[in-house]
Amino acid sequence: VQKRQIAVEELKSRYETVLHENKKITENKCLEEDKVRDKMEAELKELQHVCDLLKAAEENQQRLMSWERILAQKCKTLRELEVQVDSHSVTSMGNLFLEEEICNIQKKYEGLQRQLGEMEFQKEGLACQLKKEDECLQCSKLQLEEKIAEYNALTRQLECALEEGRKMVAEEWEKMSYKEKAFQRKLQLLEAEVRKRQEEKNQLLCLFHHNEKHHEVHLKELENSLQESENKNQSIQNYVQFLKAAYVTMFG
């Protein structure tokens, strides 16, 4: 029974160790998942920022395209005005004003072209950054899937170990229960045998005490008989002495 109890304690210790390892692995898994989730959230936020920048760049590009259309319309209007000026021979003051207006519009157009080039450059940089972030995200996703597969495999192993431990504990408990029942039956038989022997002992003690009392009574009777015999013997001796004395007295 002690060996079985030690084996059960060892199984309990192994079971608790497996539970502790399972809990530790689960906590590490949760921490790793939280880290990966935080990293993915940060990357998603950065990607969202990049998307916002791309969207802003597209809006700026659309505004630039609208400005280009407006400039083209103005250039067309100016060309029409030039044609009209050439046809109607306007004054030199009007020509100067138109040339100045055309120069200003040309400067604005060149400034918008530079802004458009810068926006295109930023757009290309953001597209490259978005591509890199997408590649990093895919790599992180693959790593996460590998970690999840590894954790799932470890979880299955732990579940198998726990199930095996439960079966072993159940078998040991069943064996101990069977042996305990056999031990209880044997113990009951031994207790019955002890009670039987105790009853026999009590009977023998009663018989011994009875015989002892009988022996004491018999001994007392013998002592009394001996005392009576001694008394009779003494009386006889006294009578013999009396007869000797009387004989001596009578016959000299």
Side-chain angles (χ1 to χ4, degrees), residues 28-55:
N28 292 331
K29 180 181 177 181
C30 293
L31 291 173
E32 190 69 23
E33 288 179 353
D34 292 336
K35 289 180 181 179
V36 174
R37 190 181 297 109
D38 294 336
K39 184 178 180 181
M40 290 183 68
E41 288 178 355
E43 291 176 353
L44 287 173
K45 288 181 180 179
E46 190 172 355
L47 287 173
Q48 186 66 34
H49 179 65
V50 172
C51 291
D52 294 336
L53 292 175
L54 286 173
K55 187 176 180 181

Side-chain angles (χ1 to χ4, degrees), residues 35-96:
K35 289 180 181 179
V36 174
R37 190 181 297 109
D38 294 336
K39 184 178 180 181
M40 290 183 68
E41 288 178 355
E43 291 176 353
L44 287 173
K45 288 181 180 179
E46 190 172 355
L47 287 173
Q48 186 66 34
H49 179 65
V50 172
C51 291
D52 294 336
L53 292 175
L54 286 173
K55 187 176 180 181
E58 289 177 356
E59 291 176 355
N60 290 329
Q61 186 177 4
Q62 289 178 0
R63 285 198 295 270
L64 287 172
M65 291 174 67
S66 63
W67 275 101
E68 287 179 352
R69 287 195 296 271
I70 293 170
L71 285 173
Q73 186 67 30
K74 287 186 177 183
C75 290
K76 183 178 179 182
T77 304
L78 286 173
R79 285 194 296 271
E80 290 176 355
L81 289 172
E82 287 177 355
V83 172
Q84 291 178 3
V85 168
D86 291 335
S87 61
H88 293 88
S89 300
V90 292
T91 60
S92 61
M93 184 65 69
N95 287 330
L96 291 173

Side-chain angles (χ1 to χ4, degrees), residues 131-164:
K131 185 177 180 181
K132 290 180 181 179
E133 293 293 337
D134 191 15
E135 291 176 355
C136 292
L137 183 62
Q138 292 295 328
C139 182
S140 299
K141 186 178 179 181
L142 292 175
Q143 291 178 356
L144 178 61
E145 290 177 353
E146 291 177 357
K147 290 287 184 182
I148 290 172
E150 183 179 355
Y151 287 139
N152 289 331
L154 289 173
T155 303
R156 287 192 294 272
Q157 291 178 1
L158 284 172
E159 288 176 354
C160 292
L162 286 173
E163 187 65 27
E164 184 178 358

Side-chain angles (χ1 to χ4, degrees), residues 11 14 163-173:
L11 285 173
R14 288 173 59 189
E163 187 65 27
E164 184 178 358
R166 292 193 187 97
K167 289 181 179 179
M168 291 176 67
V169 169
E171 290 176 357
E172 290 297 328
W173 274 113

Side-chain angles (χ1 to χ4, degrees), residues 180-206:
E180 186 177 1
K181 288 179 181 178
F183 178 76
Q184 289 292 334
R185 287 193 297 270
K186 189 174 181 180
L187 185 63
Q188 289 174 359
L189 293 174
L190 289 173
E191 288 177 350
E193 186 69 21
V194 169
R195 285 195 298 270
K196 182 179 178 181
R197 295 301 175 90
Q198 189 68 32
E199 290 176 357
E200 291 178 355
K201 179 183 175 183
N202 292 331
Q203 291 176 359
L204 290 173
L205 285 173
C206 290

